[in-house]
RNA sequence: GGGGCGGUAGCUCAAUUGGUUAGAGUACCGGACUGUCGAUCCGGUGGUUGCGGGUUCGAGUCCCGUCCGCCUCGCCA
């Protein structure tokens, strides 16, 4: 074989006169009969190679060149020369060409289902996934693989420099039925027993702290058997960390340092110090725990004002959970979103669609008010609820600081529903108004912020029981510790107000990392389990190994996990998580290339003591 | 589990209100061509309209079911 001396992205004018060998795929061919041009491709680039009958090329080689087609794999040898037909400015190697004197066809291809070409329209994602090896040949996919590689390398370098120890944790793990549904793996030795694939290495990394590792990191695969989304995959990758002898501030500092390093090295961007926002502020002003602050739209609780309106829909909403404390999920509220300049851009057709939109989040609908210029030159309210709003017009305009040209949208429901609906609506409106800037990868802003002070507990809306908002090992924040230990478990208002030492990193409205200070004190842990309705025996049954470990000298510790796939998505500017995973799965968990999952022979099932009850295919 | 969109030649798409032989570009095959660069020109092959039923004189088009993919709610940190 003619082993390559250079790659297809390497040769320049300074190489003219050299005899070289190239290997690669035929990216395109231009056949002029006695003169054939091939653009040869590898992951480094394209180089034009020329087959010229008059340049001493054997007839056999010319015939072989004549038969070359896209995606054939070849090796060739020839001389680098300045292009006879003039430069091609589109190529890095565009000033030179190789005039071939030896050709070796390494592999002929069947007619490929599609060409790995970034210029033409992409085929179905289904087809791309089925023939992933062709899709990945596309330069843009190669760039993504390369960016992902750089993220791995920068990550390892940063944490290594900062004293972190990389430790692998098991993939075959104990089922801990909290949180997401797990993938199960049957065990051959103990009939009827199963491993689970880890949702995250959470408990292992805490145990590593007890084990004295002090600082741990791992780039690890996590598994959650839940329905995927555009930015979610059942099998995904985390950058997982844990630190000993720290409180919240030290972890946040380490994380911010990592973010700064990563963005500097991957995107060439200097991340300024990140602002902090409380969970409550995020929910109040943005209706979501990962606010996108790239555009200036805020939601507002106007319950007090709405209560003065003689409007049945608002009144009925406000009646709900009337006696509950503020921010209680079941307390009725009216939320408003003032959209500057919305009166013109948000047409009737668009705002009509908002009602359908908020219904998907359980809200009843959206009330719309346009502030327009009246005949008297004063603001006039153009709205279906004029009858109820008109008497309070002055107060309304002043309350929201409305100006002519604004649109105000209202959602009334219990706190949890209204807040979510108006928060989602806010993002929808921002898109409709054209307020969402380009992505960071496309030169737009990188808007980082911390969200902190999450509640420790929230009520499950079906069972009414307390559940841990983050996970049951999350510590109350230091300033809340005594209040938590003193709190009466029956005292709903106090319990609801306890804030954890959790922290999330939010980038452009996306959660890219989250973590918390862990509980290392047994009294605190017991109280958490008790609140979650777990008896000591039940807690022991589920988490005995962790509780035992914590009993043998556990240092205070805290940690965090970054969603690596989402980091890469940001760097390459895609909103499709499958683009940043070499071999992703579909929405039903299928790998279209390998055709996993698949049935297995009966005997294999017997070995692991499994009998399928699925109807025969 | 629910809602929405889609599936027509290898690929990207078209096909009027349900109407005659389902078209185009590209790829592929054959031919021509010595300076192209998404080569060009001439000719050709290529279809279970995802699959199964139904309505109809007639179905790519309408109805029912089903499979697959995507988006999304629930779910998921």
């Amino acid at each position: 074989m003619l082993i390559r001396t250079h790659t297809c992205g390497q040769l320049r004018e300074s190489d003219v006169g050299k005899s070289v060998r190239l290997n690669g795929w035929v990216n395109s061919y231009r056949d002029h009969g006695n003169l054939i041009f091939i653009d040869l491709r590898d992951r480094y680039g394209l180089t034009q190679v020329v087959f010229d009958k008059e340049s001493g090329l054997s007839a056999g080689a010319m015939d072989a060149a004549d038969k070359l087609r896209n995606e054939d794999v070849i090796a060739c040898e020839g001389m680098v020369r300045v292009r006879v037909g003039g430069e091609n400015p589109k190529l890095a190697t565009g000033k030179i060409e190789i005039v071939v004197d030896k050709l070796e066809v390494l592999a002929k291809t069947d007619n490929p289902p599609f060409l790995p070409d970034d210029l033409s329209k992409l085929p179905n994602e289904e087809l791309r996934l089925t023939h992933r090896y062709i899709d990945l040949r596309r330069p843009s996919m190669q760039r993504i693989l390369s960016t992902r590689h750089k993220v791995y390398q920068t990550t390892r370098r940063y944490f290594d420099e900062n004293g972190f120890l990389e430790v692998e944790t098991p993939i075959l793990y104990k089922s801990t039925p909290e949180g997401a549904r797990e993938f199960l793996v049957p065990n051959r030795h103990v009939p009827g027993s199963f491993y689970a694939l880890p949702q995250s290495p959470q408990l292992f990394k805490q145990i590593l702290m007890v084990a004295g590792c002090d600082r741990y990191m791992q780039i690890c695969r996590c598994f959650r058997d839940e329905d995927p989304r555009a930015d979610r995959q059942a099998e995904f990758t985390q950058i997982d960390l844990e630190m000993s002898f720290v409180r919240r501030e030290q972890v946040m500092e380490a994380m911010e340092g990592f973010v700064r390093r990563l963005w500097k090295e991957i995107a060439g961007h200097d991340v300024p110090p990140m602002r902090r926002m409380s969970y409550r502020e995020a929910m109040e002003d943005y209706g979501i725990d990962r606010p996108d602050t790239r555009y200036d739209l805020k939601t507002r609780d106007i319950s007090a004002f709405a209560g003065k309106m003689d409007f049945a829909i608002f009144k009925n909403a406000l009646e709900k959970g009337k006696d509950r404390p503020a921010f209680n999920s079941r307390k009725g509220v009216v939320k408003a979103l003032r959209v500057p300049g919305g009166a013109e851009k948000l047409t009737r057709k668009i705002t009509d669609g908002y009602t359908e939109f908020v219904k998907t989040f359980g809200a009843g609908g959206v009330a719309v008010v346009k502030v327009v210029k009246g005949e008297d030159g004063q603001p006039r309210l153009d709205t279906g609820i004029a009858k109820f709003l008109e008497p309070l017009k002055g107060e309304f305009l002043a309350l929201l600081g409305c100006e002519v040209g604004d649109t105000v949208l209202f959602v009334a429901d219990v706190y949890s529903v209204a807040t979510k609906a108006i928060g989602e609506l806010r993002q929808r409106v921002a898109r409709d108004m054209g307020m969402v800037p380009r992505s960071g990868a496309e030169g737009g802003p990188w808007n980082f912020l911390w969200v902190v002070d999450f509640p420790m507990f929230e009520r499950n809306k079906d069972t009414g029981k307390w559940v841990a908002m983050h996970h049951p090992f999350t510590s109350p924040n230091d300033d809340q510790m005594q209040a938590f230990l003193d709190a009466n478990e029956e005292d709903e208002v106090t319990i609801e107000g306890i804030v954890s030492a959790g922290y999330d990193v939010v980038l452009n409205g996306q959660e890219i990392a989250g973590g918390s200070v862990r509980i290392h004190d047994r009294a605190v842990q017991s109280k958490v389990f008790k609140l979650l309705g777990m008896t000591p025996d039940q807690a022991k049954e589920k988490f005995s190994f962790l509780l035992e470990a914590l009993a043998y000298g556990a240092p205070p510790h805290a940690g965090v996990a970054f969603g690596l796939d989402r980091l890469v998505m940001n760097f390459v500017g895609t909103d499709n998580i499958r683009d940043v995973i070499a071999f992703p799965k579909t929405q039903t968990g299928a790998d279209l290339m390998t055709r996993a999952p698949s049935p297995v022979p009966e005997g294999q099932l017997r070995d692991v003591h499994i009998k399928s009850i699925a109807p025969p295919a």
Side-chain angles (χ1 to χ4, degrees):
Chain A
M1 180 185 158
L2 302 168
I3 302 288
R4 65 185 173 187
T5 56
H6 296 77
T7 70
C8 295
Q10 200 176 354
L11 294 166
R12 295 291 183 274
E13 247 179 321
S14 55
D15 298 300
V16 166
K18 287 181 188 164
S19 175
V20 300
R21 291 193 294 265
L22 294 181
N23 301 158
W25 286 261
V26 173
N27 192 66
S28 64
Y29 62 93
R30 296 175 288 280
D31 185 347
H32 293 233
N34 290 322
L35 179 71
I36 298 171
F37 300 96
I38 301 280
D39 287 343
L40 198 62
R41 183 193 73 239
D42 60 19
R43 85 168 154 98
Y44 309 95
L46 289 175
T47 300
Q48 172 165 287
V49 300
V50 186
F51 299 85
D52 187 340
K53 212 169 185 178
E54 309 263 297
S55 299
L57 190 67
S58 71
M62 202 62 198
D63 290 345
D66 183 58
K67 291 197 178 66
L68 289 177
R69 292 297 178 266
N70 293 333
E71 302 311 307
D72 283 340
V73 185
I74 64 168
C76 60
E77 183 179 282
M79 193 74 83
V80 182
R81 71 179 181 200
V82 173
R83 284 194 181 210
V84 175
E87 178 184 356
N88 180 354
K90 289 180 197 164
L91 299 183
T93 60
K95 286 196 167 133
I96 55 96
E97 64 189 9
I98 314 299
V99 57
V100 176
D101 43 49
K102 276 186 202 153
L103 168 68
E104 198 176 337
V105 179
L106 302 175
K108 288 295 286 183
T109 176
D110 286 349
N111 187 20
F114 62 98
L115 294 177
D117 169 9
D118 283 323
L119 299 170
S120 3
K121 197 172 172 189
L122 285 178
N124 263 332
E125 196 170 6
E126 207 173 337
L127 194 75
R128 290 172 50 204
L129 293 175
T130 306
H131 304 278
R132 191 58 159 175
Y133 37 85
I134 297 176
D135 195 39
L136 290 175
R137 286 178 197 164
R138 290 191 293 122
S140 60
M141 293 304 276
Q142 289 288 329
R143 234 173 287 130
I144 291 173
L145 291 176
S146 157
T147 299
R148 190 169 173 125
H149 162 83
K150 282 184 203 153
V151 170
Y152 297 146
Q153 304 316 318
T154 301
T155 299
R156 291 213 161 92
R157 230 177 291 127
Y158 176 83
F159 288 109
D160 179 51
E161 285 165 16
N162 285 278
F164 286 74
L165 207 59
E166 183 167 352
V167 182
E168 288 183 87
T169 55
I171 295 292
L172 295 176
Y173 176 46
K174 182 183 165 66
S175 170
T176 53
E178 295 284 312
R181 188 183 300 120
E182 298 171 318
F183 288 96
L184 294 175
V185 181
N187 175 277
R188 183 166 51 87
H189 298 287
V190 186
S193 64
F194 295 83
Y195 302 100
L197 306 183
Q199 298 172 36
S200 81
Q202 180 62 36
L203 301 186
F204 280 105
K205 67 175 173 176
Q206 290 191 238
I207 287 174
L208 283 170
M209 294 303 101
V210 181
C213 278
D214 196 68
R215 290 180 164 206
Y216 143 91
M217 73 81 59
Q218 182 183 191
I219 296 175
C220 63
R221 200 62 63 84
C222 303
F223 306 87
R224 291 176 190 160
D225 188 8
E226 301 289 350
D227 289 351
R229 287 285 188 280
D231 62 350
R232 244 162 54 186
Q233 184 85 174
E235 181 178 352
F236 64 100
T237 305
Q238 280 188 350
I239 300 169
D240 197 46
L241 321 170
E242 198 77 9
M243 304 166 78
S244 288
F245 306 115
V246 291
R247 304 314 287 160
R248 188 169 85 169
E249 291 307 318
Q250 290 75 42
V251 181
M252 290 173 78
E253 205 176 293
M255 287 167 74
E256 226 176 294
F258 172 56
V259 166
R260 196 158 292 124
R261 167 74 82 87
L262 202 52
W263 256 263
K264 184 71 184 169
E265 291 196 10
I266 310 292
H269 173 74
D270 291 306
V271 177
M274 284 153 56
R275 67 176 282 209
R276 295 186 186 189
M277 188 185 291
S278 72
Y279 172 82
R280 182 158 287 176
E281 183 186 348
M283 296 306 284
E284 279 300 289
D285 289 352
Y286 304 94
I288 195 163
D289 62 359
R290 44 183 167 85
D292 190 341
T293 54
R294 288 176 298 169
Y295 42 88
D296 187 24
L297 279 182
K298 283 188 182 175
T299 68
R300 178 100 180 257
D301 188 325
I302 57 154
S303 300
F305 170 79
K308 294 184 212 164
M309 286 170 66
D310 192 21
F311 182 32
I313 291 179
F314 287 2
K315 279 232 170 350
N316 292 342
L318 291 170
E319 273 303 307
K320 292 179 191 167
K322 206 170 154 187
D323 302 325
R324 292 175 176 274
F327 310 113
N328 182 282
S329 62
R330 282 179 284 175
K331 186 185 180 70
V333 295
V334 178
K335 305 261 328 192
L337 177 68
R338 181 174 82 90
V339 187
E344 195 180 334
K345 281 190 181 164
L346 301 178
T347 62
R348 176 66 191 270
K349 193 177 168 188
I350 292 175
T351 55
D352 281 353
Y354 290 165
T355 288
E356 280 311 306
F357 180 71
V358 298
K359 276 182 181 166
T360 64
F361 305 102
V366 178
V368 182
V369 177
K370 288 186 176 187
V371 184
V372 297
K373 197 171 204 168
E375 284 167 19
D376 56 0
Q378 295 300 304
R380 186 172 67 76
L381 302 182
D382 177 7
T383 171
I385 58 169
K387 188 164 60 159
F388 315 108
L389 199 53
E390 201 59 44
L392 299 163
K393 178 170 144 184
E395 186 181 349
F396 168 71
L397 293 173
L399 176 68
L400 291 170
C402 286
E403 291 174 14
V404 169
D406 292 355
T407 289
V408 181
L409 305 167
F410 303 89
V411 176
D413 211 304
V414 294
Y415 181 87
S416 60
V417 173
T419 301
K420 165 121 189 171
I422 199 96
E424 296 290 340
L425 187 59
R426 173 183 173 271
Q427 301 188 103
R428 167 82 181 261
V429 166
R431 283 196 296 276
D432 291 342
M433 292 291 294
M435 295 170 87
V436 183
R438 283 177 301 179
S439 71
E442 289 169 324
W446 300 104
N447 208 334
F448 291 92
L449 61 92
W450 288 105
V451 177
V452 295
D453 298 342
F454 293 85
M456 286 279 287
F457 305 100
E458 58 185 348
R459 293 277 193 187
N460 178 297
K461 56 180 169 296
D462 299 324
T463 64
K465 288 182 178 168
W466 290 116
V467 292
M469 194 161 192
H470 188 58
H471 56 59
F473 315 107
T474 302
S475 173
N477 204 9
D478 287 349
D479 59 7
Q480 309 269 309
M481 194 63 85
Q482 202 52 51
F484 175 70
L485 286 169
D486 293 344
N488 178 347
E489 286 121 39
E490 307 298 319
D491 179 358
E492 173 164 336
V493 177
T494 303
I495 298 298
E496 203 171 41
I498 301 287
V499 161
S500 79
Y503 30 79
D504 281 359
V505 180
V506 174
L507 166 60
N508 295 352
Q510 226 187 2
E511 182 196 328
I512 58 165
S516 62
V517 177
R518 325 299 184 188
I519 298 168
H520 70 285
D521 180 295
R522 274 179 282 175
V524 178
Q525 189 67 68
S526 300
K527 183 146 188 173
V528 169
F529 283 146
K530 199 169 170 191
L531 268 160
L532 295 176
M534 256 184 266
T535 65
D537 282 349
Q538 286 170 326
K540 204 173 166 189
E541 162 67 26
K542 281 184 178 169
F543 305 115
S544 60
F545 58 102
L546 177 69
L547 298 179
E548 272 175 34
L550 291 177
Y552 290 110
H557 59 288
V560 65
F562 285 82
L564 184 138
D565 308 286
R566 286 190 185 166
L567 295 178
V568 179
M569 285 168 72
N570 274 288
F571 288 129
V572 303
T574 179
D575 49 18
N576 179 352
I577 195 170
R578 294 177 299 278
D579 282 348
V580 302
I581 297 175
F583 301 103
K585 294 183 175 61
T586 69
Q587 221 159 49
T588 53
D591 177 341
L592 297 178
M593 186 181 73
T594 65
R595 304 212 177 204
S598 59
V600 296
E602 192 68 26
Q604 216 179 330
L605 285 178
R606 245 191 332 265
D607 283 349
V608 293
H609 319 287
I610 294 279
K611 194 175 169 71
S612 173
I613 59 166

